[in-house]
Amino acid sequence: PPRLAPRRIAPFASVIVSVTLESHRQADFDRFEAAVLARPEVVSLWSVGGGVDYFLRVVSADIEAYQALIDSLLAANIGIDRYFTYVVTKTLRDGGPFPLEVLAQP
């Protein structure tokens, strides 16, 4: 099937963001998740174990629009302690089907 080529529609910036929260009570996670999920620029949100709490994939018109999003999230006081921004410079694979032949092996 044909695949959509978003860059043919409009230029955009794709950014991966790691986020660590100030506090780790359930209410803190809930508040952060609700605020972030309400933003259409956040196309993926993963809660992870390890050194950070979340990874986000953000798609915005450009880096300035991404920074405006981050500024608004910080101003919203939703518990962000620190964040790191990783600008995607080249997409080699994005999503795709699950590797069922690998997952189905005993």
Side-chain angles (χ1 to χ4, degrees):
R3 294 196 50 133
L4 178 64
R7 290 198 191 280
R8 289 187 175 184
I9 298 169
F12 64 91
S14 185
V15 180
I16 305 298
V17 186
S18 66
V19 174
T20 303
L21 300 183
E22 297 168 335
S23 182
H24 293 97
R25 297 182 313 255
Q26 188 59 50
D28 300 312
F29 293 118
D30 294 344
R31 183 176 73 235
F32 173 82
E33 291 170 11
V36 170
L37 289 171
R39 300 302 301 255
E41 304 97 315
V42 178
V43 297
S44 298
L45 174 63
W46 300 281
S47 174
V48 298
V52 299
D53 296 315
Y54 294 95
F55 282 102
L56 294 70
R57 178 171 177 227
V58 175
V59 175
S60 60
D62 52 33
I63 294 301
E64 290 79 15
Y66 161 74
Q67 190 59 53
L69 168 70
I70 288 296
D71 291 344
S72 70
L73 291 174
L74 292 171
N77 196 23
I78 57 172
I80 296 173
D81 180 38
R82 65 181 175 267
Y83 70 96
F84 292 93
T85 300
Y86 305 91
V87 176
V88 177
T89 59
K90 183 178 180 181
T91 299
L92 302 170
R93 179 181 288 172
D94 187 14
F98 273 62
L100 296 179
E101 65 281 358
V102 175
L103 298 176
Q105 292 181 4

PDB file of all heavy atoms in Angstrom, residues 64-99:
ATOM      1  N   GLU A  64      11.237  26.374  16.429  1.00  0.00           N
ATOM      2  CA  GLU A  64      10.651  27.461  17.215  1.00  0.00           C
ATOM      3  C   GLU A  64       9.287  27.051  17.774  1.00  0.00           C
ATOM      4  O   GLU A  64       8.958  27.335  18.922  1.00  0.00           O
ATOM      5  CB  GLU A  64      10.537  28.742  16.382  1.00  0.00           C
ATOM      6  CG  GLU A  64      11.870  29.387  16.062  1.00  0.00           C
ATOM      7  CD  GLU A  64      12.624  28.724  14.914  1.00  0.00           C
ATOM      8  OE1 GLU A  64      12.031  27.925  14.138  1.00  0.00           O
ATOM      9  OE2 GLU A  64      13.833  28.979  14.788  1.00  0.00           O
ATOM     10  N   ALA A  65       8.483  26.370  16.963  1.00  0.00           N
ATOM     11  CA  ALA A  65       7.181  25.889  17.429  1.00  0.00           C
ATOM     12  C   ALA A  65       7.356  24.818  18.504  1.00  0.00           C
ATOM     13  O   ALA A  65       6.589  24.774  19.472  1.00  0.00           O
ATOM     14  CB  ALA A  65       6.369  25.352  16.254  1.00  0.00           C
ATOM     15  N   TYR A  66       8.356  23.965  18.346  1.00  0.00           N
ATOM     16  CA  TYR A  66       8.658  22.970  19.393  1.00  0.00           C
ATOM     17  C   TYR A  66       9.013  23.681  20.702  1.00  0.00           C
ATOM     18  O   TYR A  66       8.501  23.328  21.766  1.00  0.00           O
ATOM     19  CB  TYR A  66       9.801  22.052  18.967  1.00  0.00           C
ATOM     20  CG  TYR A  66      10.418  21.356  20.150  1.00  0.00           C
ATOM     21  CD1 TYR A  66       9.748  20.323  20.784  1.00  0.00           C
ATOM     22  CD2 TYR A  66      11.635  21.778  20.672  1.00  0.00           C
ATOM     23  CE1 TYR A  66      10.286  19.714  21.910  1.00  0.00           C
ATOM     24  CE2 TYR A  66      12.173  21.181  21.785  1.00  0.00           C
ATOM     25  CZ  TYR A  66      11.495  20.152  22.402  1.00  0.00           C
ATOM     26  OH  TYR A  66      12.016  19.562  23.521  1.00  0.00           O
ATOM     27  N   GLN A  67       9.877  24.695  20.625  1.00  0.00           N
ATOM     28  CA  GLN A  67      10.287  25.402  21.837  1.00  0.00           C
ATOM     29  C   GLN A  67       9.098  26.102  22.495  1.00  0.00           C
ATOM     30  O   GLN A  67       8.995  26.137  23.723  1.00  0.00           O
ATOM     31  CB  GLN A  67      11.401  26.407  21.551  1.00  0.00           C
ATOM     32  CG  GLN A  67      12.019  26.989  22.802  1.00  0.00           C
ATOM     33  CD  GLN A  67      12.614  25.916  23.722  1.00  0.00           C
ATOM     34  OE1 GLN A  67      13.421  25.097  23.284  1.00  0.00           O
ATOM     35  NE2 GLN A  67      12.210  25.914  24.980  1.00  0.00           N
ATOM     36  N   ALA A  68       8.182  26.627  21.695  1.00  0.00           N
ATOM     37  CA  ALA A  68       6.969  27.245  22.244  1.00  0.00           C
ATOM     38  C   ALA A  68       6.134  26.207  22.993  1.00  0.00           C
ATOM     39  O   ALA A  68       5.570  26.496  24.055  1.00  0.00           O
ATOM     40  CB  ALA A  68       6.156  27.900  21.135  1.00  0.00           C
ATOM     41  N   LEU A  69       6.053  24.987  22.455  1.00  0.00           N
ATOM     42  CA  LEU A  69       5.343  23.907  23.141  1.00  0.00           C
ATOM     43  C   LEU A  69       6.003  23.612  24.485  1.00  0.00           C
ATOM     44  O   LEU A  69       5.324  23.534  25.519  1.00  0.00           O
ATOM     45  CB  LEU A  69       5.319  22.643  22.277  1.00  0.00           C
ATOM     46  CG  LEU A  69       4.867  21.366  22.997  1.00  0.00           C
ATOM     47  CD1 LEU A  69       3.387  21.425  23.331  1.00  0.00           C
ATOM     48  CD2 LEU A  69       5.194  20.142  22.177  1.00  0.00           C
ATOM     49  N   ILE A  70       7.312  23.441  24.490  1.00  0.00           N
ATOM     50  CA  ILE A  70       8.028  23.150  25.735  1.00  0.00           C
ATOM     51  C   ILE A  70       7.838  24.287  26.738  1.00  0.00           C
ATOM     52  O   ILE A  70       7.580  24.053  27.924  1.00  0.00           O
ATOM     53  CB  ILE A  70       9.529  22.895  25.462  1.00  0.00           C
ATOM     54  CG1 ILE A  70       9.711  21.550  24.770  1.00  0.00           C
ATOM     55  CG2 ILE A  70      10.353  22.945  26.746  1.00  0.00           C
ATOM     56  CD1 ILE A  70       9.298  20.341  25.592  1.00  0.00           C
ATOM     57  N   ASP A  71       7.954  25.521  26.268  1.00  0.00           N
ATOM     58  CA  ASP A  71       7.764  26.668  27.161  1.00  0.00           C
ATOM     59  C   ASP A  71       6.373  26.647  27.793  1.00  0.00           C
ATOM     60  O   ASP A  71       6.221  26.911  28.986  1.00  0.00           O
ATOM     61  CB  ASP A  71       7.984  27.982  26.414  1.00  0.00           C
ATOM     62  CG  ASP A  71       9.432  28.209  26.017  1.00  0.00           C
ATOM     63  OD1 ASP A  71      10.334  27.528  26.567  1.00  0.00           O
ATOM     64  OD2 ASP A  71       9.675  29.064  25.140  1.00  0.00           O
ATOM     65  N   SER A  72       5.361  26.300  27.009  1.00  0.00           N
ATOM     66  CA  SER A  72       4.003  26.262  27.555  1.00  0.00           C
ATOM     67  C   SER A  72       3.833  25.117  28.546  1.00  0.00           C
ATOM     68  O   SER A  72       3.139  25.270  29.555  1.00  0.00           O
ATOM     69  CB  SER A  72       2.969  26.171  26.437  1.00  0.00           C
ATOM     70  OG  SER A  72       2.989  24.909  25.805  1.00  0.00           O
ATOM     71  N   LEU A  73       4.481  23.971  28.288  1.00  0.00           N
ATOM     72  CA  LEU A  73       4.403  22.860  29.241  1.00  0.00           C
ATOM     73  C   LEU A  73       5.116  23.208  30.551  1.00  0.00           C
ATOM     74  O   LEU A  73       4.634  22.874  31.635  1.00  0.00           O
ATOM     75  CB  LEU A  73       4.991  21.589  28.628  1.00  0.00           C
ATOM     76  CG  LEU A  73       4.202  20.964  27.477  1.00  0.00           C
ATOM     77  CD1 LEU A  73       4.970  19.792  26.868  1.00  0.00           C
ATOM     78  CD2 LEU A  73       2.813  20.531  27.933  1.00  0.00           C
ATOM     79  N   LEU A  74       6.249  23.888  30.445  1.00  0.00           N
ATOM     80  CA  LEU A  74       6.961  24.306  31.657  1.00  0.00           C
ATOM     81  C   LEU A  74       6.136  25.333  32.434  1.00  0.00           C
ATOM     82  O   LEU A  74       6.058  25.269  33.670  1.00  0.00           O
ATOM     83  CB  LEU A  74       8.333  24.863  31.299  1.00  0.00           C
ATOM     84  CG  LEU A  74       9.342  23.855  30.745  1.00  0.00           C
ATOM     85  CD1 LEU A  74      10.574  24.572  30.217  1.00  0.00           C
ATOM     86  CD2 LEU A  74       9.719  22.821  31.801  1.00  0.00           C
ATOM     87  N   ALA A  75       5.504  26.264  31.740  1.00  0.00           N
ATOM     88  CA  ALA A  75       4.692  27.287  32.392  1.00  0.00           C
ATOM     89  C   ALA A  75       3.440  26.694  33.036  1.00  0.00           C
ATOM     90  O   ALA A  75       2.909  27.255  34.000  1.00  0.00           O
ATOM     91  CB  ALA A  75       4.303  28.369  31.386  1.00  0.00           C
ATOM     92  N   ALA A  76       2.988  25.550  32.529  1.00  0.00           N
ATOM     93  CA  ALA A  76       1.788  24.907  33.059  1.00  0.00           C
ATOM     94  C   ALA A  76       2.023  24.261  34.420  1.00  0.00           C
ATOM     95  O   ALA A  76       1.076  23.801  35.057  1.00  0.00           O
ATOM     96  CB  ALA A  76       1.275  23.860  32.068  1.00  0.00           C
ATOM     97  N   ASN A  77       3.286  24.198  34.844  1.00  0.00           N
ATOM     98  CA  ASN A  77       3.617  23.642  36.157  1.00  0.00           C
ATOM     99  C   ASN A  77       3.044  22.232  36.334  1.00  0.00           C
ATOM    100  O   ASN A  77       2.293  21.972  37.274  1.00  0.00           O
ATOM    101  CB  ASN A  77       3.144  24.587  37.266  1.00  0.00           C
ATOM    102  CG  ASN A  77       3.804  24.251  38.593  1.00  0.00           C
ATOM    103  OD1 ASN A  77       4.872  23.653  38.628  1.00  0.00           O
ATOM    104  ND2 ASN A  77       3.161  24.627  39.677  1.00  0.00           N
ATOM    105  N   ILE A  78       3.410  21.348  35.425  1.00  0.00           N
ATOM    106  CA  ILE A  78       2.909  19.965  35.458  1.00  0.00           C
ATOM    107  C   ILE A  78       3.947  18.993  36.012  1.00  0.00           C
ATOM    108  O   ILE A  78       3.838  17.791  35.817  1.00  0.00           O
ATOM    109  CB  ILE A  78       2.414  19.515  34.074  1.00  0.00           C
ATOM    110  CG1 ILE A  78       3.506  19.651  33.013  1.00  0.00           C
ATOM    111  CG2 ILE A  78       1.171  20.293  33.672  1.00  0.00           C
ATOM    112  CD1 ILE A  78       3.157  19.047  31.664  1.00  0.00           C
ATOM    113  N   GLY A  79       4.960  19.534  36.699  1.00  0.00           N
ATOM    114  CA  GLY A  79       5.890  18.668  37.410  1.00  0.00           C
ATOM    115  C   GLY A  79       7.155  18.287  36.678  1.00  0.00           C
ATOM    116  O   GLY A  79       7.871  17.378  37.111  1.00  0.00           O
ATOM    117  N   ILE A  80       7.483  18.952  35.580  1.00  0.00           N
ATOM    118  CA  ILE A  80       8.700  18.614  34.842  1.00  0.00           C
ATOM    119  C   ILE A  80       9.917  19.095  35.628  1.00  0.00           C
ATOM    120  O   ILE A  80      10.039  20.274  35.933  1.00  0.00           O
ATOM    121  CB  ILE A  80       8.693  19.243  33.439  1.00  0.00           C
ATOM    122  CG1 ILE A  80       7.543  18.671  32.606  1.00  0.00           C
ATOM    123  CG2 ILE A  80      10.032  19.005  32.730  1.00  0.00           C
ATOM    124  CD1 ILE A  80       7.341  19.344  31.261  1.00  0.00           C
ATOM    125  N   ASP A  81      10.799  18.167  35.962  1.00  0.00           N
ATOM    126  CA  ASP A  81      12.056  18.512  36.638  1.00  0.00           C
ATOM    127  C   ASP A  81      13.111  18.873  35.606  1.00  0.00           C
ATOM    128  O   ASP A  81      13.762  19.902  35.697  1.00  0.00           O
ATOM    129  CB  ASP A  81      12.524  17.346  37.509  1.00  0.00           C
ATOM    130  CG  ASP A  81      13.825  17.637  38.233  1.00  0.00           C
ATOM    131  OD1 ASP A  81      14.014  18.788  38.683  1.00  0.00           O
ATOM    132  OD2 ASP A  81      14.648  16.712  38.364  1.00  0.00           O
ATOM    133  N   ARG A  82      13.288  18.006  34.621  1.00  0.00           N
ATOM    134  CA  ARG A  82      14.243  18.287  33.546  1.00  0.00           C
ATOM    135  C   ARG A  82      13.810  17.550  32.283  1.00  0.00           C
ATOM    136  O   ARG A  82      13.085  16.558  32.332  1.00  0.00           O
ATOM    137  CB  ARG A  82      15.669  17.914  33.940  1.00  0.00           C
ATOM    138  CG  ARG A  82      15.916  16.459  34.165  1.00  0.00           C
ATOM    139  CD  ARG A  82      17.379  16.200  34.581  1.00  0.00           C
ATOM    140  NE  ARG A  82      17.554  14.818  34.897  1.00  0.00           N
ATOM    141  CZ  ARG A  82      17.452  14.302  36.107  1.00  0.00           C
ATOM    142  NH1 ARG A  82      17.192  15.063  37.136  1.00  0.00           N
ATOM    143  NH2 ARG A  82      17.623  13.013  36.300  1.00  0.00           N
ATOM    144  N   TYR A  83      14.284  18.088  31.173  1.00  0.00           N
ATOM    145  CA  TYR A  83      13.983  17.465  29.893  1.00  0.00           C
ATOM    146  C   TYR A  83      15.199  17.626  28.994  1.00  0.00           C
ATOM    147  O   TYR A  83      15.995  18.546  29.154  1.00  0.00           O
ATOM    148  CB  TYR A  83      12.731  18.082  29.241  1.00  0.00           C
ATOM    149  CG  TYR A  83      12.932  19.492  28.742  1.00  0.00           C
ATOM    150  CD1 TYR A  83      13.257  19.734  27.409  1.00  0.00           C
ATOM    151  CD2 TYR A  83      12.817  20.581  29.589  1.00  0.00           C
ATOM    152  CE1 TYR A  83      13.463  21.025  26.945  1.00  0.00           C
ATOM    153  CE2 TYR A  83      13.013  21.878  29.127  1.00  0.00           C
ATOM    154  CZ  TYR A  83      13.332  22.087  27.815  1.00  0.00           C
ATOM    155  OH  TYR A  83      13.539  23.361  27.354  1.00  0.00           O
ATOM    156  N   PHE A  84      15.332  16.699  28.074  1.00  0.00           N
ATOM    157  CA  PHE A  84      16.398  16.756  27.081  1.00  0.00           C
ATOM    158  C   PHE A  84      15.761  16.598  25.712  1.00  0.00           C
ATOM    159  O   PHE A  84      14.889  15.760  25.514  1.00  0.00           O
ATOM    160  CB  PHE A  84      17.449  15.665  27.315  1.00  0.00           C
ATOM    161  CG  PHE A  84      18.239  15.863  28.570  1.00  0.00           C
ATOM    162  CD1 PHE A  84      17.851  15.260  29.752  1.00  0.00           C
ATOM    163  CD2 PHE A  84      19.360  16.681  28.570  1.00  0.00           C
ATOM    164  CE1 PHE A  84      18.570  15.457  30.916  1.00  0.00           C
ATOM    165  CE2 PHE A  84      20.088  16.882  29.736  1.00  0.00           C
ATOM    166  CZ  PHE A  84      19.690  16.266  30.909  1.00  0.00           C
ATOM    167  N   THR A  85      16.215  17.403  24.779  1.00  0.00           N
ATOM    168  CA  THR A  85      15.672  17.451  23.427  1.00  0.00           C
ATOM    169  C   THR A  85      16.642  16.792  22.460  1.00  0.00           C
ATOM    170  O   THR A  85      17.832  17.099  22.475  1.00  0.00           O
ATOM    171  CB  THR A  85      15.465  18.926  23.013  1.00  0.00           C
ATOM    172  OG1 THR A  85      14.549  19.531  23.921  1.00  0.00           O
ATOM    173  CG2 THR A  85      14.953  19.037  21.594  1.00  0.00           C
ATOM    174  N   TYR A  86      16.117  15.922  21.625  1.00  0.00           N
ATOM    175  CA  TYR A  86      16.902  15.259  20.590  1.00  0.00           C
ATOM    176  C   TYR A  86      16.213  15.509  19.249  1.00  0.00           C
ATOM    177  O   TYR A  86      15.127  14.982  19.002  1.00  0.00           O
ATOM    178  CB  TYR A  86      17.010  13.759  20.857  1.00  0.00           C
ATOM    179  CG  TYR A  86      17.559  13.448  22.229  1.00  0.00           C
ATOM    180  CD1 TYR A  86      16.704  13.276  23.322  1.00  0.00           C
ATOM    181  CD2 TYR A  86      18.930  13.368  22.448  1.00  0.00           C
ATOM    182  CE1 TYR A  86      17.213  13.023  24.586  1.00  0.00           C
ATOM    183  CE2 TYR A  86      19.440  13.111  23.707  1.00  0.00           C
ATOM    184  CZ  TYR A  86      18.575  12.942  24.775  1.00  0.00           C
ATOM    185  OH  TYR A  86      19.072  12.697  26.026  1.00  0.00           O
ATOM    186  N   VAL A  87      16.821  16.322  18.402  1.00  0.00           N
ATOM    187  CA  VAL A  87      16.229  16.635  17.104  1.00  0.00           C
ATOM    188  C   VAL A  87      16.519  15.480  16.154  1.00  0.00           C
ATOM    189  O   VAL A  87      17.672  15.049  16.007  1.00  0.00           O
ATOM    190  CB  VAL A  87      16.804  17.953  16.550  1.00  0.00           C
ATOM    191  CG1 VAL A  87      16.261  18.231  15.158  1.00  0.00           C
ATOM    192  CG2 VAL A  87      16.497  19.103  17.497  1.00  0.00           C
ATOM    193  N   VAL A  88      15.487  14.968  15.522  1.00  0.00           N
ATOM    194  CA  VAL A  88      15.649  13.889  14.545  1.00  0.00           C
ATOM    195  C   VAL A  88      16.186  14.507  13.259  1.00  0.00           C
ATOM    196  O   VAL A  88      15.559  15.376  12.669  1.00  0.00           O
ATOM    197  CB  VAL A  88      14.309  13.176  14.290  1.00  0.00           C
ATOM    198  CG1 VAL A  88      14.475  12.108  13.207  1.00  0.00           C
ATOM    199  CG2 VAL A  88      13.768  12.563  15.579  1.00  0.00           C
ATOM    200  N   THR A  89      17.360  14.060  12.857  1.00  0.00           N
ATOM    201  CA  THR A  89      17.981  14.597  11.649  1.00  0.00           C
ATOM    202  C   THR A  89      17.743  13.727  10.420  1.00  0.00           C
ATOM    203  O   THR A  89      17.857  14.201   9.295  1.00  0.00           O
ATOM    204  CB  THR A  89      19.498  14.776  11.852  1.00  0.00           C
ATOM    205  OG1 THR A  89      20.078  13.513  12.178  1.00  0.00           O
ATOM    206  CG2 THR A  89      19.782  15.782  12.957  1.00  0.00           C
ATOM    207  N   LYS A  90      17.416  12.460  10.657  1.00  0.00           N
ATOM    208  CA  LYS A  90      17.154  11.553   9.542  1.00  0.00           C
ATOM    209  C   LYS A  90      16.318  10.392  10.051  1.00  0.00           C
ATOM    210  O   LYS A  90      16.670   9.765  11.044  1.00  0.00           O
ATOM    211  CB  LYS A  90      18.482  11.034   8.978  1.00  0.00           C
ATOM    212  CG  LYS A  90      18.348  10.133   7.780  1.00  0.00           C
ATOM    213  CD  LYS A  90      19.731   9.729   7.277  1.00  0.00           C
ATOM    214  CE  LYS A  90      19.677   8.828   6.082  1.00  0.00           C
ATOM    215  NZ  LYS A  90      21.029   8.435   5.638  1.00  0.00           N
ATOM    216  N   THR A  91      15.227  10.112   9.370  1.00  0.00           N
ATOM    217  CA  THR A  91      14.373   8.986   9.744  1.00  0.00           C
ATOM    218  C   THR A  91      14.710   7.802   8.850  1.00  0.00           C
ATOM    219  O   THR A  91      14.585   7.892   7.626  1.00  0.00           O
ATOM    220  CB  THR A  91      12.885   9.358   9.612  1.00  0.00           C
ATOM    221  OG1 THR A  91      12.611  10.447  10.493  1.00  0.00           O
ATOM    222  CG2 THR A  91      11.999   8.175   9.960  1.00  0.00           C
ATOM    223  N   LEU A  92      15.133   6.725   9.462  1.00  0.00           N
ATOM    224  CA  LEU A  92      15.481   5.520   8.709  1.00  0.00           C
ATOM    225  C   LEU A  92      14.349   4.501   8.725  1.00  0.00           C
ATOM    226  O   LEU A  92      14.160   3.759   7.773  1.00  0.00           O
ATOM    227  CB  LEU A  92      16.757   4.911   9.275  1.00  0.00           C
ATOM    228  CG  LEU A  92      17.950   5.874   9.264  1.00  0.00           C
ATOM    229  CD1 LEU A  92      19.105   5.302  10.048  1.00  0.00           C
ATOM    230  CD2 LEU A  92      18.357   6.201   7.850  1.00  0.00           C
ATOM    231  N   ARG A  93      13.624   4.449   9.830  1.00  0.00           N
ATOM    232  CA  ARG A  93      12.449   3.583   9.933  1.00  0.00           C
ATOM    233  C   ARG A  93      11.530   4.233  10.948  1.00  0.00           C
ATOM    234  O   ARG A  93      11.966   4.660  12.002  1.00  0.00           O
ATOM    235  CB  ARG A  93      12.831   2.185  10.402  1.00  0.00           C
ATOM    236  CG  ARG A  93      11.616   1.273  10.530  1.00  0.00           C
ATOM    237  CD  ARG A  93      11.962  -0.105  11.013  1.00  0.00           C
ATOM    238  NE  ARG A  93      12.655  -0.831   9.959  1.00  0.00           N
ATOM    239  CZ  ARG A  93      13.220  -2.014  10.127  1.00  0.00           C
ATOM    240  NH1 ARG A  93      13.199  -2.589  11.304  1.00  0.00           N
ATOM    241  NH2 ARG A  93      13.830  -2.605   9.129  1.00  0.00           N
ATOM    242  N   ASP A  94      10.257   4.283  10.619  1.00  0.00           N
ATOM    243  CA  ASP A  94       9.300   4.911  11.517  1.00  0.00           C
ATOM    244  C   ASP A  94       8.076   4.023  11.612  1.00  0.00           C
ATOM    245  O   ASP A  94       7.272   3.974  10.686  1.00  0.00           O
ATOM    246  CB  ASP A  94       8.926   6.302  11.003  1.00  0.00           C
ATOM    247  CG  ASP A  94       8.062   7.072  11.985  1.00  0.00           C
ATOM    248  OD1 ASP A  94       7.966   6.670  13.151  1.00  0.00           O
ATOM    249  OD2 ASP A  94       7.493   8.091  11.571  1.00  0.00           O
ATOM    250  N   GLY A  95       7.975   3.311  12.711  1.00  0.00           N
ATOM    251  CA  GLY A  95       6.841   2.423  12.882  1.00  0.00           C
ATOM    252  C   GLY A  95       6.953   1.217  11.989  1.00  0.00           C
ATOM    253  O   GLY A  95       8.002   0.618  11.843  1.00  0.00           O
ATOM    254  N   GLY A  96       5.857   0.896  11.347  1.00  0.00           N
ATOM    255  CA  GLY A  96       5.842  -0.275  10.491  1.00  0.00           C
ATOM    256  C   GLY A  96       5.164  -1.425  11.211  1.00  0.00           C
ATOM    257  O   GLY A  96       4.803  -1.325  12.372  1.00  0.00           O
ATOM    258  N   PRO A  97       4.988  -2.526  10.528  1.00  0.00           N
ATOM    259  CA  PRO A  97       4.307  -3.665  11.137  1.00  0.00           C
ATOM    260  C   PRO A  97       5.167  -4.321  12.217  1.00  0.00           C
ATOM    261  O   PRO A  97       6.388  -4.257  12.185  1.00  0.00           O
ATOM    262  CB  PRO A  97       4.090  -4.617   9.961  1.00  0.00           C
ATOM    263  CG  PRO A  97       5.153  -4.252   8.986  1.00  0.00           C
ATOM    264  CD  PRO A  97       5.398  -2.775   9.155  1.00  0.00           C
ATOM    265  N   PHE A  98       4.498  -4.918  13.179  1.00  0.00           N
ATOM    266  CA  PHE A  98       5.212  -5.684  14.199  1.00  0.00           C
ATOM    267  C   PHE A  98       5.845  -6.899  13.529  1.00  0.00           C
ATOM    268  O   PHE A  98       5.264  -7.482  12.608  1.00  0.00           O
ATOM    269  CB  PHE A  98       4.249  -6.161  15.293  1.00  0.00           C
ATOM    270  CG  PHE A  98       4.059  -5.174  16.387  1.00  0.00           C
ATOM    271  CD1 PHE A  98       3.512  -3.927  16.148  1.00  0.00           C
ATOM    272  CD2 PHE A  98       4.442  -5.486  17.677  1.00  0.00           C
ATOM    273  CE1 PHE A  98       3.336  -3.011  17.159  1.00  0.00           C
ATOM    274  CE2 PHE A  98       4.270  -4.576  18.700  1.00  0.00           C
ATOM    275  CZ  PHE A  98       3.718  -3.341  18.438  1.00  0.00           C
ATOM    276  N   PRO A  99       7.005  -7.322  14.009  1.00  0.00           N
ATOM    277  CA  PRO A  99       7.681  -8.486  13.416  1.00  0.00           C
ATOM    278  C   PRO A  99       7.040  -9.784  13.913  1.00  0.00           C
ATOM    279  O   PRO A  99       7.581 -10.494  14.766  1.00  0.00           O
ATOM    280  CB  PRO A  99       9.106  -8.337  13.914  1.00  0.00           C
ATOM    281  CG  PRO A  99       8.970  -7.644  15.235  1.00  0.00           C
ATOM    282  CD  PRO A  99       7.804  -6.702  15.059  1.00  0.00           C
TER     283      PRO A  99
END
